[in-house]
Amino acid sequence: DVQLQASGGGLVQPGGSLRLSCATSGFLSEYYAISWFRQAPGKEREGVICINSDHESTDYVDSVKGRFSISRDNAKKTVYLQMNTLKAEDTAVYYCATPLTPRCGVKADAAAVFKWGRGTQVTVSS
């Protein structure tokens, strides 16, 4: 059974950086695509970025391009979301998820998610 756990959230100043981690476990978890979703109060959950089994990333939100990057360390079975130049609009609960397939979709699709991790709160504020 594949499990995911997001961590690393917290309070950060606008313009600051934060790195989130998604620890995975389970058989062959390193072969699955991992995506990050986020949900701000009063807004729908949106897909942010995804990484496939070949360490290729796909951006889903224009506002994070050039600021967010995703990577994975197969030895640690962990996926990272590096968030730079954070803005107040980035405040949300961030979730990692996997469709249990190796590829990322062209568009984010929550319906394709098979497993969700527990979310971690990111708050960007002075």
Side-chain angles (χ1 to χ4, degrees), residues 17-36:
S17 298
L18 203 62
R19 188 179 75 165
L20 305 183
S21 297
C22 178
T24 69
S25 63
F27 187 60
L28 298 179
S29 62
E30 66 270 29
Y31 292 100
Y32 301 138
I34 301 293
S35 60
W36 288 92

Side-chain angles (χ1 to χ4, degrees), residues 5 16 19 31 34 38 50-51 72 84 95:
Q5 178 64 57
R19 188 179 75 165
Y31 292 100
I34 301 293
R38 66 183 182 184
C50 180
I51 187 166
R72 69 194 305 163
N84 299 321
Y95 304 86

Side-chain angles (χ1 to χ4, degrees), residues 37-80:
F37 286 75
R38 66 183 182 184
Q39 187 166 24
K43 296 183 179 180
E44 295 181 351
R45 186 172 299 185
E46 64 176 352
V48 179
I49 194 168
C50 180
I51 187 166
N52 66 17
S53 61
D54 290 323
H55 297 225
E56 299 169 335
S57 65
T58 301
D59 296 321
Y60 294 129
V61 180
D62 288 342
S63 64
V64 309
K65 291 181 179 179
R67 298 192 298 119
F68 290 12
S69 62
I70 189 169
S71 62
R72 69 194 305 163
D73 184 333
N74 286 347
K76 296 182 178 180
K77 302 184 74 171
T78 300
V79 172
Y80 303 99

